[in-house]
Amino acid sequence: MKIREYFGKMSGTTRGSPPRVNNEEVVLSWIGAFLGIAAVAWVDHFFFEGTDLSLMIGSFGASAVLVYGAVRSPLAQPRNLVGGHMLSAVVGVVCWKLLHQYPWLAESVAVATAIALMHLTRTLHPPGGATALIAVTGSAAIHKLGFLYVLMPATIGPLILLAVALLFNNLPASRRYPEIWF
Protein backbone atom coordinates (compact mmCIF):
# COMPACT_ATOMS: atom_id res chain seq x y z
CA MET A 1 0.00 0.00 0.00
CA LYS A 2 1.30 3.40 -0.94
CA ILE A 3 1.62 6.11 1.70
CA ARG A 4 -0.84 8.38 -0.12
CA GLU A 5 -3.42 5.59 -0.31
CA TYR A 6 -2.87 4.87 3.38
CA PHE A 7 -3.57 8.45 4.44
CA GLY A 8 -6.38 8.74 1.88
CA LYS A 9 -8.32 6.09 3.81
CA MET A 10 -8.50 8.52 6.73
CA SER A 11 -10.70 10.94 4.78
CA GLY A 12 -13.75 8.64 5.05
CA THR A 13 -15.95 7.26 2.31
CA THR A 14 -19.13 9.34 2.50
CA ARG A 15 -19.97 13.01 2.52
CA GLY A 16 -21.94 14.80 5.16
CA SER A 17 -22.96 13.97 8.68
CA PRO A 18 -24.86 10.92 9.83
CA PRO A 19 -28.63 11.30 9.36
CA ARG A 20 -30.60 12.77 12.25
CA VAL A 21 -33.47 10.72 13.63
CA ASN A 22 -36.89 12.33 14.01
CA ASN A 23 -38.06 13.94 17.25
CA GLU A 24 -40.27 10.99 18.19
CA GLU A 25 -37.23 8.70 18.08
CA VAL A 26 -35.24 11.13 20.24
CA VAL A 27 -38.00 11.15 22.88
CA LEU A 28 -38.45 7.36 22.75
CA SER A 29 -34.69 6.83 23.14
CA TRP A 30 -34.63 9.17 26.14
CA ILE A 31 -37.59 7.52 27.85
CA GLY A 32 -36.28 3.99 27.18
CA ALA A 33 -32.81 4.80 28.49
CA PHE A 34 -34.28 6.51 31.56
CA LEU A 35 -36.51 3.53 32.34
CA GLY A 36 -33.79 0.94 31.72
CA ILE A 37 -31.09 2.60 33.80
CA ALA A 38 -33.65 3.52 36.48
CA ALA A 39 -34.72 -0.14 36.71
CA VAL A 40 -31.12 -1.32 37.21
CA ALA A 41 -30.50 1.45 39.75
CA TRP A 42 -33.74 0.69 41.61
CA VAL A 43 -32.94 -3.04 41.88
CA ASP A 44 -29.41 -2.14 42.99
CA HIS A 45 -30.71 0.26 45.64
CA PHE A 46 -33.57 -1.94 46.83
CA PHE A 47 -31.75 -5.26 47.07
CA PHE A 48 -28.06 -4.48 47.45
CA GLU A 49 -27.70 -1.22 49.33
CA GLY A 50 -25.49 -1.70 52.35
CA THR A 51 -23.82 -4.79 50.88
CA ASP A 52 -20.51 -5.12 49.06
CA LEU A 53 -22.42 -5.96 45.88
CA SER A 54 -23.30 -3.41 43.21
CA LEU A 55 -25.45 -3.92 40.18
CA MET A 56 -24.49 -0.77 38.28
CA ILE A 57 -21.38 -0.45 36.12
CA GLY A 58 -20.52 2.25 33.60
CA SER A 59 -20.76 0.01 30.56
CA PHE A 60 -24.54 -0.23 31.05
CA GLY A 61 -24.83 3.40 29.95
CA ALA A 62 -23.36 2.45 26.59
CA SER A 63 -25.66 -0.58 26.42
CA ALA A 64 -28.61 1.75 26.98
CA VAL A 65 -27.52 3.82 23.97
CA LEU A 66 -27.72 0.73 21.79
CA VAL A 67 -30.78 -0.99 23.27
CA TYR A 68 -32.96 2.14 23.46
CA GLY A 69 -31.33 4.43 20.91
CA ALA A 70 -30.38 2.02 18.11
CA VAL A 71 -32.98 -0.70 18.58
CA ARG A 72 -32.52 -2.30 15.18
CA SER A 73 -28.74 -2.48 15.36
CA PRO A 74 -27.34 -6.02 15.31
CA LEU A 75 -25.18 -4.92 18.24
CA ALA A 76 -28.29 -4.17 20.33
CA GLN A 77 -29.98 -7.56 20.06
CA PRO A 78 -30.53 -9.76 23.15
CA ARG A 79 -27.81 -12.26 22.23
CA ASN A 80 -25.31 -9.41 21.94
CA LEU A 81 -26.50 -7.52 24.99
CA VAL A 82 -26.40 -10.42 27.43
CA GLY A 83 -23.77 -12.60 25.77
CA GLY A 84 -21.39 -9.71 25.12
CA HIS A 85 -21.40 -8.62 28.75
CA MET A 86 -21.13 -12.17 30.13
CA LEU A 87 -18.23 -13.23 27.92
CA SER A 88 -16.39 -9.98 28.45
CA ALA A 89 -16.80 -10.23 32.21
CA VAL A 90 -15.30 -13.74 32.21
CA VAL A 91 -12.38 -12.50 30.12
CA GLY A 92 -11.86 -9.49 32.38
CA VAL A 93 -11.85 -11.56 35.57
CA VAL A 94 -9.45 -14.13 34.10
CA CYS A 95 -7.10 -11.38 32.92
CA TRP A 96 -7.15 -9.73 36.33
CA LYS A 97 -6.42 -13.02 38.10
CA LEU A 98 -3.59 -14.01 35.75
CA LEU A 99 -2.01 -10.68 34.91
CA HIS A 100 -2.77 -8.25 37.75
CA GLN A 101 0.97 -7.80 38.40
CA TYR A 102 1.12 -6.10 34.99
CA PRO A 103 -1.95 -3.85 34.84
CA TRP A 104 -1.21 -2.45 31.36
CA LEU A 105 -1.01 -5.98 29.98
CA ALA A 106 -4.12 -7.18 31.84
CA GLU A 107 -6.13 -4.20 30.54
CA SER A 108 -5.08 -4.56 26.91
CA VAL A 109 -5.39 -8.35 26.81
CA ALA A 110 -8.83 -8.17 28.45
CA VAL A 111 -10.33 -5.77 25.91
CA ALA A 112 -8.65 -7.36 22.87
CA THR A 113 -9.65 -10.88 23.92
CA ALA A 114 -13.20 -9.81 24.73
CA ILE A 115 -13.56 -8.36 21.23
CA ALA A 116 -12.16 -11.52 19.62
CA LEU A 117 -14.45 -13.81 21.63
CA MET A 118 -17.51 -11.67 20.95
CA HIS A 119 -16.70 -11.82 17.22
CA LEU A 120 -16.27 -15.60 17.34
CA THR A 121 -19.52 -16.11 19.23
CA ARG A 122 -21.52 -13.51 17.27
CA THR A 123 -22.19 -11.55 20.46
CA LEU A 124 -20.33 -8.35 19.57
CA HIS A 125 -21.61 -5.64 21.91
CA PRO A 126 -19.22 -2.66 22.23
CA PRO A 127 -20.02 -1.99 25.90
CA GLY A 128 -18.67 -5.49 26.58
CA GLY A 129 -15.17 -4.09 26.09
CA ALA A 130 -15.84 -1.72 28.97
CA THR A 131 -17.19 -4.56 31.10
CA ALA A 132 -13.92 -6.48 30.56
CA LEU A 133 -11.88 -3.37 31.34
CA ILE A 134 -13.85 -2.62 34.51
CA ALA A 135 -13.06 -6.13 35.78
CA VAL A 136 -9.37 -5.21 35.52
CA THR A 137 -9.34 -1.51 36.44
CA GLY A 138 -12.19 -1.60 38.94
CA SER A 139 -11.95 -1.02 42.66
CA ALA A 140 -10.86 -3.54 45.27
CA ALA A 141 -14.55 -4.34 45.76
CA ILE A 142 -14.85 -5.33 42.08
CA HIS A 143 -11.72 -7.49 42.31
CA LYS A 144 -13.00 -9.09 45.49
CA LEU A 145 -16.08 -10.33 43.60
CA GLY A 146 -13.95 -12.62 41.43
CA PHE A 147 -16.16 -14.65 39.10
CA LEU A 148 -19.26 -13.42 40.93
CA TYR A 149 -18.69 -10.28 38.80
CA VAL A 150 -19.83 -12.33 35.80
CA LEU A 151 -23.21 -12.95 37.41
CA MET A 152 -23.53 -9.67 39.19
CA PRO A 153 -23.47 -7.13 37.74
CA ALA A 154 -22.47 -8.40 34.28
CA THR A 155 -25.42 -10.75 33.68
CA ILE A 156 -28.22 -9.53 35.93
CA GLY A 157 -27.83 -5.89 34.85
CA PRO A 158 -28.16 -6.65 31.11
CA LEU A 159 -31.12 -8.95 31.83
CA ILE A 160 -32.91 -6.04 33.51
CA LEU A 161 -32.05 -3.75 30.57
CA LEU A 162 -33.38 -6.46 28.24
CA ALA A 163 -36.66 -6.83 30.16
CA VAL A 164 -37.25 -3.07 30.01
CA ALA A 165 -36.32 -3.02 26.31
CA LEU A 166 -38.82 -5.76 25.53
CA LEU A 167 -41.59 -4.00 27.44
CA PHE A 168 -40.88 -0.44 26.28
CA ASN A 169 -39.53 -0.79 22.73
CA ASN A 170 -42.63 -2.67 21.57
CA LEU A 171 -45.12 -0.04 22.82
CA PRO A 172 -44.74 2.49 19.95
CA ALA A 173 -45.92 1.42 16.50
CA SER A 174 -42.64 2.68 15.04
CA ARG A 175 -40.47 0.23 17.01
CA ARG A 176 -40.00 -3.50 17.26
CA TYR A 177 -37.56 -5.29 19.54
CA PRO A 178 -35.80 -7.60 19.13
CA GLU A 179 -35.01 -8.07 15.48
CA ILE A 180 -33.48 -11.42 16.34
CA TRP A 181 -33.10 -13.32 19.61
CA PHE A 182 -30.22 -15.68 18.89
Side-chain angles (χ1 to χ4, degrees), residues 20-31 175:
R20 184 187 180 284
V21 298
N22 62 38
N23 291 338
E24 178 189 5
E25 192 59 28
V26 172
V27 171
L28 290 173
S29 298
W30 189 94
I31 293 170
R175 284 186 171 202

Side-chain angles (χ1 to χ4, degrees), residues 4-111:
R4 184 176 180 164
E5 182 182 350
Y6 173 76
F7 284 109
K9 289 180 174 182
M10 296 179 194
S11 65
T13 58
T14 58
R15 292 179 184 251
S17 304
R20 184 187 180 284
V21 298
N22 62 38
N23 291 338
E24 178 189 5
E25 192 59 28
V26 172
V27 171
L28 290 173
S29 298
W30 189 94
I31 293 170
F34 174 81
L35 293 174
I37 294 298
V40 175
W42 182 84
V43 171
D44 183 46
H45 175 76
F46 191 77
F47 290 104
F48 303 108
E49 187 175 83
T51 70
D52 288 340
L53 301 174
S54 176
L55 195 54
M56 186 66 78
I57 54 176
S59 55
F60 293 164
S63 290
V65 171
L66 288 168
V67 175
Y68 308 110
V71 222
R72 300 191 69 189
S73 166
L75 306 175
Q77 302 309 304
R79 175 190 181 105
N80 302 72
L81 171 65
V82 178
H85 278 292
M86 285 177 60
L87 276 173
S88 298
V90 169
V91 169
V93 172
V94 168
C95 286
W96 169 252
K97 288 187 174 291
L98 296 177
L99 303 168
H100 67 272
Q101 305 92 336
Y102 311 100
W104 69 270
L105 185 60
E107 294 160 3
S108 53
V109 169
V111 173

